[in-house]
């Protein structure tokens, strides 16, 4: 299907949808509600309630109640007017998306017209209408936290460990920008995480979630962006820094301090275009060399035509075959090469138009490009032999919001996203600098690669057209109804190649023949759609969320009819799948300062699309022997949705005006997780008896635990929070390819059939945050993270009974700090910032040797034999990627424009 046809389908569908105002999508707005009484406690009728700086307002009903809906998250001032009473001005009223902010008022009578009373709203410490675990981080909070990206913020939330939400796999989370899904469907990771500078509210749901959210099992991350204001403002900033550590015995070149090793530049502008239009633009560039360096250790040679050329200067040849140069055994500083460096550039632009008193239009563009090195241990003395990853993400979307009347509104959203991902050594796949394809296999005993180049070349792109229409109605003071639908049309293209250069190709780079295991290419057009209905009942005695979601998916792929004859079997079109997901949540106050909640739901998610289509020609490569099981498994376009059934019960309690706590217990049962099976080719067929792998729904898991959080709100210049999570994450496999890995073992290992700790099972987690505010001039925030060791596989030779993940790695602990000082020179406002990550330079071990349980030692170091290379044996057994990043210091300066 061409792009033109797909767009035409969307436009036709949009026209049909506009005829039926009965649908809804994810919540990016909140509401303010309350009751207005006089001093005697009698309700006041017809009191005017307005939000300053907007055209939003309402009047109280016969019982004194009022409600304003469809409010973007942020801080507002409420103005309350009635003849015969003092005007009330309530400042600093905080509105969060999908929540109700309660503001109750008692008005004083007066005989002086225009007399006003101004007060600051007291921010509640608990959310009486919340029925599951959810955290909201505001723009103001992000400004004073020592975090660089959204990912850093997520890993500070209770129950989140290295991107795993409450024990789920890392790709079970839905990421959204202003209600637009931004997952890369190829691997279901976040395709785009916008910069912190443009976030108005970051909403993180780690528990159960309402029916308006789909294609997620473990959590929701919603980034709601800022808007341009009625007055011009802007900000420009620069940040520079480097790593500073005493662990130079592990990290080479780490003592070569340069403030240019990490630098960020950003500029943000916002303001009015016309009386009815405003804009916001943000640009940011971030470069970082990382902390993993290789050594450019060997003279470089390349075979061009019939001649070998060599030159030790990197300025002439960047990458190609490497041969050891004995005269270069003690390289200077210039020989060190960053191996996990990255350069990210981001742009975000928003135009908002007030078409009428009822209609608002928003045009948004977000673009992000990232070039990153890929660290691999064996390339440490051959850093130019490995490739880089280049990806770019562009999403444009239009949101039309219309207030139909004071109690109902709709949103119409249409978007297109384009994702490109390239992984290669040279952009030109026929570049003569590629080495012979056997060169990497020539590494000696205990030695790194002394030459060779990575011969893999992958490029893929995905276009997604997304459409949603939303309708929300406040049926009465107690009941809100949302109904919704969405459509996603994908166009995926993939090329995965292994380049050849050897005597058979005349030492010229060639591509393997099409439709072979070394040349996989496909175009696929999967489709998704969903409808839901969600009701929210709010009263003084309870809040209830009740919803139902129906999802549809068609992979438009092919499946084999006879798995025992993959080369000759007929093929059938894949089947469509439907899933019905009930969701329920209940919150009921136990006092005016305490509320309990319970929630339950079914959550479905299609596995990453790469697993549906990989090896599209169902090719077996007998040259790889048993490796074909792992390297070239068959995709399965008939994969079923993965299913999680989740339960949660919790209590929020306010202890005094500034201190509250929350405790939540949860349980998740996970079925139909992505796994793999082993099949054997039938006798008398080509490659008879050869085994191959195929993805299926076979894995299962179970997670249970609880979280305990204490929070002290800002008062007297001091705020603090601490949260503790106890979690038990069990399953039969952490990796969907576990069965394939087991089949490759010598001898083959039987796959697990019992529940064992998953790789990310961190039993105890503790997060702390302390913030100091000195008269709004100096800010200091300290964040601490502690986690007990995650599992690892014990050495089977050391144990008579071998169980996967039977050991535990060492504990991890780190502290980060931000200190900021506001400065003013005349009318110019500036801010000086110092950020220190891993203040105490803790050497956390992320991976370990199976025989010792440590990253620093293995018994293999004592094995006899001489190192057949330029490195030492200690270097060979020191994996830089098995350690967390050392201490990093950054200094920044920002100026208000």
């Amino acid at each position: 299907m061409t792009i033109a046809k797909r767009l035409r389908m969307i436009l036709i569908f949009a026209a049909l949808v506009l005829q039926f105002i009965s649908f809804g999508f994810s919540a990016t707005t909140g509401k303010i509600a309350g009751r207005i009484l006089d001093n005697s406690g009698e309700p006041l009728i017809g009191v005017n309630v307005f939000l300053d700086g907007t055209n939003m307002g309402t009047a109280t009903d016969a019982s004194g109640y009022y409600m304003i809906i469809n409010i973007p998250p942020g801080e507002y001032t409420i103005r309350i007017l009635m003849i015969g009473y003092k005007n009330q001005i309530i400042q600093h009223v905080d509105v969060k998306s999908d929540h109700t902010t309660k503001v109750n008022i008692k008005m004083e009578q007066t005989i002086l017209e225009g007399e006003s009373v101004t007060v600051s709203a007291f921010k509640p410490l608990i959310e009486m209408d919340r029925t599951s675990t959810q955290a909201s981080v505001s723009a103001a909070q992000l400004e004073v936290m020592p975090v660089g990206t959204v990912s850093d913020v997520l890993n500070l939330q209770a129950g989140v460990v290295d991107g795993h939400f409450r024990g789920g796999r890392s790709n079970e989370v839905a990421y959204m920008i202003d209600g637009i899904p931004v997952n890369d469907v190829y691997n279901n990771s976040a395709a785009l995480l916008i910069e912190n500078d443009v976030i108005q509210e970051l909403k993180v749901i780690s528990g159960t979630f309402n029916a308006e959210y789909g294609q997620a099992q473990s959590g929701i991350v919603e980034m709601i962006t800022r808007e341009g204001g009625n007055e011009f403002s802007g900000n420009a900033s620069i940040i520079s820094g480097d790593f500073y550590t005493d662990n130079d015995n592990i990290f080479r070149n780490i003592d070569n301090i340069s403030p240019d090793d990490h630098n960020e530049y950003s500029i943000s502008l916002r303001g009015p275009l016309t009386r009815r239009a405003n804009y916001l633009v943000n640009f940011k560039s971030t470069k970082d060399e990382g902390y993993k360096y290789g050594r450019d250790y060997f003279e470089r040679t390349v075979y061009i035509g019939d001649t070998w050329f060599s030159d030790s200067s990197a300025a002439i040849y960047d990458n190609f075959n490497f041969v050891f140069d004995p005269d270069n055994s003690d390289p200077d500083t210039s020989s060190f090469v960053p191996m996990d460096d990255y350069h990210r550039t981001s742009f975000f632009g928003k135009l908002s138009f007030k078409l009428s008193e009822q209609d608002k239009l928003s045009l948004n563009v977000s673009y992000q490009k990232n070039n990153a090195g890929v660290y691999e241990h064996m390339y440490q003395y051959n850093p130019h032999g490995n490739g880089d990853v280049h990806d770019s993400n562009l999403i444009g979307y239009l949101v039309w919001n219309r207030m139909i009347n004071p109690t109902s509104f709709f949103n119409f959203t249409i978007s297109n996203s384009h994702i490109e991902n390239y992984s290669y050594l040279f952009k030109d796949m026929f570049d003569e600098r590629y080495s012979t394809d056997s060169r990497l296999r020539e590494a000696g005993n205990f030695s790194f690669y002394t030459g060779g180049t990575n011969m893999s070349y992958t490029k893929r792109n995905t276009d997604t057209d997304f459409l949603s229409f939303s309708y929300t109605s406040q049926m009465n003071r107690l009941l809100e109804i949302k109904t919704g639908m969405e459509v996603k049309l994908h166009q995926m293209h993939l090329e995965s190649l292994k380049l050849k250069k050897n005597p058979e190709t005349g030492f010229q780079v060639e591509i393997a023949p099409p439709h072979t295991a070394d040349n996989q290419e496909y175009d696929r057009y999967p489709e998704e759609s969903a409808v839901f209905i969600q009701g929210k009942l709010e009263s003084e005695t309870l809040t209830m969320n009740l919803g139902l979601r129906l999802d549809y998916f068609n992979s438009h792929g092919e499946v084999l009819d006879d798995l025992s004859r993959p080369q000759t079997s007929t093929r059938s079109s894949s089947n469509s799948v439907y899933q019905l997901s009930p969701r329920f949540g209940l919150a009921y106050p136990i006092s005016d300062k305490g509320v309990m909640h319970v929630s339950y739901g079914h959550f479905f998610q299609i596995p990453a699309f790469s697993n549906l289509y990989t090896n599209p020609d169902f090719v077996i490569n007998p040259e790889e022997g048993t490796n074909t099981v792992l390297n070239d498994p068959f995709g399965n376009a008939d994969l079923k949705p993965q299913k999680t059934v989740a339960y949660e019960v919790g209590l929020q309690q306010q202890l005094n005006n500034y201190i509250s706590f929350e405790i939540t217990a949860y349980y998740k049962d996970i079925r139909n997780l992505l796994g793999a099976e082993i099949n054997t080719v039938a006798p008398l067929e080509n490659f008879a008896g050869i085994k191959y792998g195929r993805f299926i729904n076979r894995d299962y898991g179970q997670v249970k635990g609880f979280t305990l959080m204490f929070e002290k709100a800002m008062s007297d210049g001091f705020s603090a929070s601490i949260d503790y999570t106890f979690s038990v994450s069990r399953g039969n496999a952490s990796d969907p390819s576990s069965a394939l890995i087991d089949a490759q073992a010598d001898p083959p290992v039987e796959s697990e059939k019992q529940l064992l700790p998953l790789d990310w099972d961190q039993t105890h987690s503790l997060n702390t945050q302390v913030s100091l505010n000195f008269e709004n001039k100096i800010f200091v925030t300290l964040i601490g993270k502690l986690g007990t060791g995650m599992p690892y596989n014990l050495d089977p030779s050391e144990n008579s009974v071998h169980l996967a993940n039977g050991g535990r790695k060492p504990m991890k602990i780190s502290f980060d700090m931000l200190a900021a000082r506001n400065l003013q020179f005349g009318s110019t406002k500036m801010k000086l910032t110092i950020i220190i990550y891993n203040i105490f330079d803790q050497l956390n071990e992320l991976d370990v040797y199976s025989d010792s349980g440590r990253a620093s030692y293995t018994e293999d170091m004592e094995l006899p034999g001489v190192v057949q290379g330029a490195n030492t044996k200690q270097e060979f057994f020191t994996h830089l990627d098995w350690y967390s990043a050392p201490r990093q210091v950054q200094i920044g300066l920002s100026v208000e424009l």
Side-chain angles (χ1 to χ4, degrees), residues 423-700:
S423 178
Y424 52 72
L425 177 55
F426 301 113
K427 187 173 184 178
D428 179 5
M429 65 180 66
F430 298 103
D431 197 299
E432 293 179 315
R433 292 173 292 177
Y434 276 108
S435 171
T436 54
D437 52 34
S438 62
R439 186 65 179 84
L440 291 178
R441 296 192 290 272
E442 298 174 7
N445 192 41
F446 300 122
S447 74
F448 300 131
Y449 294 143
T450 58
T453 51
N454 189 324
M455 307 300 286
S456 298
Y457 195 106
T458 303
K459 59 180 180 179
R460 63 178 176 87
N461 56 72
T462 303
D463 283 276
T464 298
D465 300 318
F466 172 77
L467 181 145
S468 74
F469 192 84
S470 71
Y471 176 76
T472 303
S473 179
Q474 192 73 41
M475 308 297 291
N476 53 47
R477 183 173 61 83
L478 302 179
L479 180 62
E480 177 189 85
I481 294 292
K482 301 178 185 178
T483 55
M485 61 87 62
E486 64 180 70
V487 175
K488 284 186 275 189
L489 305 177
H490 309 283
Q491 180 174 317
M492 301 177 60
H493 174 77
L494 173 86
E495 294 179 50
S496 180
L497 310 172
K498 293 180 182 177
L499 306 178
K500 307 293 183 183
K501 186 178 181 181
N502 51 50
E504 295 179 1
T505 69
F507 291 102
Q508 299 297 313
V509 179
E510 289 188 2
I511 301 173
H515 311 296
T516 62
D518 291 339
N519 186 343
Q520 299 184 24
E521 181 176 358
Y522 63 73
D523 290 279
R524 293 291 185 270
Y525 306 92
E527 297 178 359
E528 303 176 69
S529 60
V531 295
F532 78 86
I533 183 168
Q534 180 75 44
K536 183 177 183 180
L537 179 66
E538 292 182 271
S539 71
E540 300 299 326
T541 57
L542 65 85
T543 299
M544 182 172 65
N545 281 302
L546 184 63
L548 188 65
R549 182 183 179 92
L550 176 64
D551 284 275
Y552 162 84
F553 176 74
N554 192 328
S555 66
H556 290 295
E558 291 183 328
V559 293
L560 294 174
D561 295 324
D562 187 347
L563 295 175
S564 67
R565 295 173 170 80
Q567 307 303 304
T568 59
S569 171
T570 58
R571 304 179 186 181
S572 300
S573 297
S574 58
N575 297 312
S576 301
V577 293
Y578 297 86
Q579 295 294 338
L580 197 62
S581 312
R583 315 279 173 88
F584 171 77
L586 182 68
Y588 49 97
I590 55 176
S591 69
D592 61 338
K593 294 184 179 180
V595 58
M596 291 195 67
H597 76 263
V598 294
S599 59
Y600 157 84
H602 290 231
F603 308 94
F604 293 94
Q605 183 182 31
I606 299 296
F609 289 4
S610 60
N611 304 115
L612 279 64
Y613 307 123
T614 186
N615 198 347
D617 296 299
F618 305 109
V619 176
I620 291 176
N621 188 355
E623 296 179 357
E624 293 189 351
T626 58
N627 287 342
T628 191
V629 172
L630 178 63
N631 295 344
D632 302 302
F634 291 3
N636 183 356
D638 262 348
L639 285 171
K640 299 182 179 69
Q642 303 169 116
K643 177 182 178 180
T644 294
V645 180
Y647 308 82
E648 179 180 307
V649 58
L651 167 67
Q652 298 178 75
Q653 181 65 51
Q654 183 172 332
L655 301 179
N656 58 35
N657 289 340
Y658 299 102
I659 299 177
S660 65
F661 79 89
E662 179 177 354
I663 183 169
T664 304
Y666 58 87
Y667 173 83
K668 299 199 298 186
D669 182 80
I670 312 167
R671 304 283 174 171
N672 279 347
L673 279 173
L674 182 69
E677 66 177 1
I678 305 297
N679 294 296
T680 305
V681 179
L684 306 180
E685 290 289 312
N686 292 333
F687 317 129
I690 287 183
K691 298 182 183 297
Y692 68 90
R694 176 175 178 260
F695 289 112
I696 60 170
N697 298 95
R698 62 164 287 171
D699 290 347
Y700 52 90

Side-chain angles (χ1 to χ4, degrees), residues 59 76 78 92 248 255 293 318 455 470 498 527 589 601 609 670 676 682 686 688 777 796 809 845:
Y76 293 88
I78 301 177
H92 309 301
D248 52 3
D255 53 357
Y293 287 86
D318 241 0
M455 307 300 286
S470 71
K498 293 180 182 177
E527 297 178 359
F609 289 4
I670 312 167
N686 292 333
K777 293 182 179 180
K809 302 173 187 176
E845 297 173 53

